[in-house]
Amino acid sequence: NGISTLDIILMQKHILRQEMLQTPYQMIAADIDNDKNITAIDLIELRKLILGITSEFTNNGSWKFVDASLALTTANPWLYREQRSIEDFQDDMLTEDFIGVKIGDLNYSVTLGLTSDTDIESRSSEAIEIDYADRYVTEGEMVDLTLQTVREDVYGYQFTLEAAGLELVNVSGANITEANAASHGTKVTMSYGQLSAIESGEMVTMTFKSNVSGQLSDIIRLSSDITMTEAYVGESLDQVEIALRGSEEETTNFALHQNEPNPFTYETTIGFDLPQSGAATLTLHDVTGKVLNVIEGDYAAGYNEIKVGKEDINTTGLVYYTLQTANNTATQHMIVIE
């Protein structure tokens, strides 16, 4: 409630003295580790909470209630105190005021009297679209999910990606490290924010091992189950929603190509195209139908090659080669010469 990657961006600006925090209470909120200082350690602790790695701060609580009678300044906000001493408790103490500071909430976005998660943040009605290449994935395959945007005014984002059947292996991208993401079983949380806008193009690439087969768009979706899904755009860092949009990859048709070179004496290369990754079997046989060799393997979607040497077939003359997958079969022939 009130804590997001936007607070990380504001803290980064302050640490690098690009834009200083304006009030002592913002600085108290930024002191995540409670050491009366604002450093990169505070950034790390705050991001862990946002990603759902931790559920509370290690050395701080969720709130501080600061004595309102103190004239605090940004030059030294650390003179605050959280107690008031009353010597002679005879009358109503209506002037004993405190200011509540939500730790980590640098832009005062906390919702008081919160009754449900849907009340947490108010966003612009605008939404940015994040694109990815939608395709069919197979069980056991390594899948690269690259999220991209055409926008050039995105300074940060955070989200929860639900990916049932996908196991996170790695995250990569410009200025992206493993500290920007966390895996929670079938859900992945992401938090990224920088002082300059992301260049149009790749935002992040997440590599998964797929434990299921199916269309990627049927497997993944954005939610706010752990980390609120939102982005921060423009110099004013407006909070906007994120829409995930999958576009079909350019379709590759199944094809078995003529070997090169042909005829050949010592070695030749057989190329083929697969519409989707999976197992394929190359069978070589002579004109009588006798099987000379069988080559099996798992191949990626798109263009692949298999090299065949003369010793692999131990014959000369006309040789047929057949490529078979779960859904397709094709045959070509080649000539082996002395």
Side-chain angles (χ1 to χ4, degrees):
N1 181 7
I3 298 175
S4 70
T5 303
L6 178 55
D7 298 301
I8 289 180
I9 298 174
L10 297 178
M11 196 185 298
Q12 287 173 326
K13 288 186 174 184
H14 177 86
I15 292 173
L16 297 176
R17 307 188 71 82
Q18 185 182 88
E19 184 177 327
M20 306 302 289
L21 297 173
Q22 298 298 305
T23 74
Y25 304 104
Q26 284 180 301
M27 297 179 69
I28 294 170
D31 181 22
I32 306 300
D33 65 351
N34 207 22
D35 68 346
K36 306 293 191 293
N37 202 3
I38 303 173
T39 66
I41 295 175
D42 299 302
L43 287 172
I44 294 170
E45 288 294 309
L46 187 59
R47 195 183 299 278
K48 285 182 178 179
L49 188 82
I50 292 169
L51 292 173
I53 297 173
T54 58
S55 59
E56 57 186 22
F57 297 127
T58 303
N59 297 313
N60 215 334
S62 292
W63 289 87
K64 283 188 183 296
F65 293 95
V66 178
D67 183 347
S69 69
L70 298 175
L72 300 178
T73 67
T74 55
N76 191 356
W78 315 122
L79 298 176
Y80 68 86
R81 61 174 179 259
E82 299 180 77
Q83 298 85 27
R84 298 287 296 269
S85 297
I86 300 172
E87 297 295 337
D88 187 10
F89 200 173
Q90 299 294 327
D91 300 316
D92 292 339
M93 297 290 136
L94 299 180
T95 60
E96 302 299 304
D97 288 344
F98 293 86
I99 295 175
V101 179
K102 178 66 184 289
I103 304 303
D105 179 19
L106 278 62
N107 65 335
Y108 306 141
S109 61
V110 63
T111 300
L112 300 178
L114 181 66
T115 57
S116 70
D117 291 344
T118 58
D119 298 330
I120 289 180
E121 301 284 0
S122 60
R123 301 184 186 86
S124 165
S125 59
E126 181 186 5
I128 68 166
E129 290 186 335
I130 294 180
D131 300 315
Y132 69 95
D134 188 18
R135 65 181 183 87
Y136 189 87
V137 300
T138 58
E139 183 177 356
E141 179 185 358
M142 300 300 290
V143 180
D144 285 334
L145 175 63
T146 299
L147 304 183
Q148 297 180 310
T149 177
V150 298
R151 298 280 295 256
E152 296 184 346
D153 60 347
V154 179
Y155 285 80
Y157 56 86
Q158 62 179 44
F159 56 75
T160 300
L161 180 74
E162 299 195 18
L166 300 183
E167 178 183 339
L168 183 66
V169 176
N170 185 49
V171 292
S172 61
N175 299 316
I176 296 288
T177 70
E178 291 185 355
N180 292 102
S183 179
H184 304 268
T186 62
K187 299 174 184 178
V188 175
T189 52
M190 184 78 195
S191 168
Y192 173 87
Q194 289 293 328
L195 303 184
S196 57
I198 300 169
E199 294 184 6
S200 176
E202 178 181 346
M203 298 169 64
V204 60
T205 295
M206 291 175 281
T207 301
F208 296 93
K209 178 183 178 182
S210 179
N211 297 317
V212 295
S213 297
Q215 196 69 21
L216 197 55
S217 56
D218 295 328
I219 298 173
I220 65 171
R221 74 179 187 92
L222 289 180
S223 77
S224 295
D225 184 64
I226 300 173
T227 300
M228 183 74 66
T229 292
E230 60 189 21
Y232 316 102
V233 300
E235 293 185 359
S236 59
L237 299 176
D238 294 328
Q239 293 172 259
V240 299
E241 295 186 356
I242 297 174
L244 194 60
R245 183 178 65 179
S247 56
E248 290 287 344
E249 286 188 323
E250 185 175 337
T251 302
T252 300
N253 294 322
F254 176 84
L256 177 60
H257 303 299
Q258 183 64 56
N259 63 301
E260 292 287 343
N262 186 49
F264 75 97
T265 301
Y266 300 106
E267 185 180 74
T268 189
T269 299
I270 299 172
F272 56 94
D273 297 318
L274 297 181
Q276 61 192 48
S277 60
T281 301
L282 181 71
T283 303
L284 300 109
H285 51 91
D286 63 17
V287 293
T288 67
K290 177 185 176 182
V291 174
L292 304 174
N293 202 344
V294 177
I295 302 172
E296 298 178 324
D298 291 317
Y299 301 95
Y303 180 75
N304 296 270
E305 290 182 345
I306 295 176
K307 293 188 180 298
V308 176
K310 185 176 181 180
E311 66 277 8
D312 295 322
I313 48 181
N314 196 29
T315 189
T316 57
L318 186 63
V319 173
Y320 291 90
Y321 57 96
T322 299
L323 183 71
Q324 185 173 10
T325 67
N327 301 312
N328 297 281
T329 302
T331 299
Q332 294 271 19
H333 65 271
M334 58 187 176
I335 298 175
V336 186
I337 59 177
E338 293 287 350

